[in-house]
Amino acid sequence: MAVYAIYSYEIQEGNRSLFYKETGKKAIDMANEIISNLLKDGLTVIGKKRNEDQLLTIRHFIGRDGVFAWELCNVKDKTLIEGHEKIPYEEHPGSYVIVDNRPDVCQIAIEKNSAFGPDTDKVVKYLKRAFHAHLFEYGLKMVIKRKWQASNFRNKIEERIFKDHDSVKKVVWEFPNPDRVNGIDANQQMKNRLKGLLLFTQASKALKGKLTLTGSKRIPMDVNDVEIEDWAMIIALSAQNGYKLSYYFYNSPVVNFKDVAYAFASLDNKFIRDFELGQLINKGEGTTFELIEKLDEIRKQIADYDHEKIVDDGK
């Protein structure tokens, strides 16, 4: 099983709001289609070699049902030794890159191996640069963020409250304006609840807003996300989309989501090969690709909540 670093991406409006071709629709509302077209047309990814730009090779590119996968190959200098003779040559090791461009998903998985070293953020910089070369034409920009593991964050908060007997002094949450951002990984009910928190942000046309909740020592804040659905929503949205979420305590240091744990997932590269070959599966819930099924499982594990349970609970 290969290890993948998991990221989310958003498409944001820049300083100008442009329309998409002759459709009369705002470019931000067509973001998924724009990303798909850029990938299908062939993304040019430029890496670095000795601080010089280096064109990277893309192999085995395939796109199905809004999901795209390929091998991104690095360039490494090697030396072949034959007797006393040293013969320089290049190797092109690759890492799999998966872009899940389905609406309300916008997730990237990057294989962590020796091709680009342990820092997958390096690959993210290359991809971001490649997309920016085209998105500016539409007045858009891409933001790529690491996803975080919700369960680890919850465990840390519970440890402070129940083990260290501390209480939450303040919670600060930064969130986007959904009217100016495309790529929020959430179901429609969660988006509707998010919009309820964002009325002033939207009215002012701000790109993002901040929610600050403050308690007191006499009446400690209740941050039980099992009983209070809005806490569960905030934690899930933050994990999936990389939003800033901080819990401040009275007697111990602040806990930031980003400092607790980055999200990684194990994925059998066989799923990508089957995806390339068009191999479908059916486990009783309809026909799909096993890769797409696994990507959905990863999303649920990261957010540590059940999408369907939140939709069906009637609240």
Side-chain angles (χ1 to χ4, degrees):
M1 299 284 278
V3 175
Y4 283 75
I6 310 299
Y7 297 79
S8 66
Y9 64 92
E10 294 175 353
I11 307 302
Q12 298 180 355
E13 280 190 332
N15 296 325
R16 50 195 182 136
S17 180
L18 301 183
F19 290 90
Y20 181 64
K21 296 182 178 179
E22 293 79 29
T23 63
K25 295 183 178 180
K26 292 171 62 177
I28 188 66
D29 295 330
M30 302 297 293
N32 286 105
E33 183 173 333
I34 291 170
I35 294 297
S36 289
N37 289 338
L38 291 179
L39 289 167
K40 291 174 184 176
D41 290 344
L43 200 64
T44 300
V45 182
I46 306 296
K48 286 288 185 182
K49 182 180 178 183
R50 302 191 194 92
N51 293 322
E52 297 290 333
D53 285 349
Q54 176 73 49
L55 179 65
L56 302 181
T57 301
I58 291 176
R59 301 174 70 243
H60 302 296
F61 177 89
I62 188 69
R64 302 183 191 276
D65 297 344
V67 175
F68 301 85
W70 67 88
E71 281 182 323
L72 183 65
C73 298
N74 202 1
V75 181
K76 292 191 174 184
D77 292 327
K78 296 289 184 177
T79 301
L80 177 66
I81 299 177
E82 294 287 350
H84 288 80
E85 185 178 4
K86 295 181 180 180
I87 305 170
Y89 70 99
E90 285 186 347
E91 279 189 350
H92 305 92
S95 289
Y96 280 118
V97 176
I98 304 168
V99 175
D100 191 339
N101 190 50
R102 290 175 292 167
D104 300 330
V105 177
C106 296
Q107 177 171 269
I108 297 176
I110 299 175
E111 185 182 12
K112 189 176 180 181
N113 63 15
S114 60
F116 291 92
D119 185 9
T120 51
D121 288 354
K122 181 189 304 182
V123 178
V124 166
K125 292 176 183 177
Y126 299 159
L127 294 176
K128 189 175 176 181
R129 181 181 179 187
F131 280 112
H132 277 179
H134 299 278
L135 287 175
F136 80 94
E137 300 174 10
Y138 302 96
L140 304 175
K141 63 180 181 178
M142 175 180 277
V143 176
I144 304 177
K145 295 175 283 187
R146 291 292 297 262
K147 286 196 175 188
W148 301 319
Q149 190 64 50
S151 59
N152 291 359
F153 182 78
R154 284 191 175 98
N155 292 341
K156 190 69 175 178
I157 298 303
E158 289 176 358
E159 179 182 306
R160 291 286 183 86
I161 293 173
F162 298 112
K163 183 180 177 181
D164 300 337
H165 305 291
D166 205 346
S167 56
V168 178
K169 179 180 181 181
K170 179 174 66 175
V171 176
V172 179
W173 182 47
E174 293 188 19
F175 47 79
N177 180 345
D179 287 344
R180 296 192 61 194
V181 173
N182 187 290
I184 298 175
D185 190 346
N187 59 40
Q188 190 56 51
Q189 186 190 19
M190 291 179 73
K191 282 189 173 183
N192 291 340
R193 294 176 72 84
L194 178 61
K195 284 188 176 183
L197 297 170
L198 300 180
L199 293 178
F200 183 70
T201 307
Q202 290 172 299
S204 62
K205 294 182 170 46
L207 184 61
K208 62 181 180 180
K210 181 185 290 187
L211 175 68
T212 301
L213 302 173
T214 305
S216 70
K217 278 191 174 183
R218 190 172 64 85
I219 306 176
M221 288 182 64
D222 186 352
V223 293
N224 186 343
D225 60 281
V226 174
E227 296 181 359
I228 303 174
E229 186 180 330
D230 282 340
W231 283 126
M233 180 199 71
I234 287 172
I235 291 174
L237 282 168
S238 300
Q240 287 282 44
N241 299 282
Y243 299 157
K244 292 181 179 179
L245 177 61
S246 303
Y247 281 49
Y248 292 81
F249 291 84
Y250 283 98
N251 303 314
S252 54
V254 60
V255 176
N256 293 299
F257 219 143
K258 65 184 178 67
D259 296 330
V260 175
Y262 285 136
F264 293 94
S266 296
L267 191 63
D268 193 331
N269 288 337
K270 172 184 177 295
F271 301 146
I272 299 178
R273 294 190 291 271
D274 289 346
F275 183 70
E276 183 182 356
L277 295 172
Q279 182 67 49
L280 292 164
I281 62 167
N282 191 332
K283 297 182 179 179
E285 298 181 357
T287 301
T288 186
F289 294 98
E290 193 161 12
L291 175 63
I292 292 179
E293 183 182 76
K294 294 300 179 182
L295 291 173
D296 284 337
E297 287 179 8
I298 289 169
R299 292 168 57 224
K300 289 184 179 182
Q301 290 166 1
I302 287 171
D304 195 31
Y305 78 107
D306 186 336
H307 288 264
E308 301 306 319
K309 187 181 294 183
I310 291 179
V311 170
D312 295 338
D313 65 7
K315 293 181 181 179

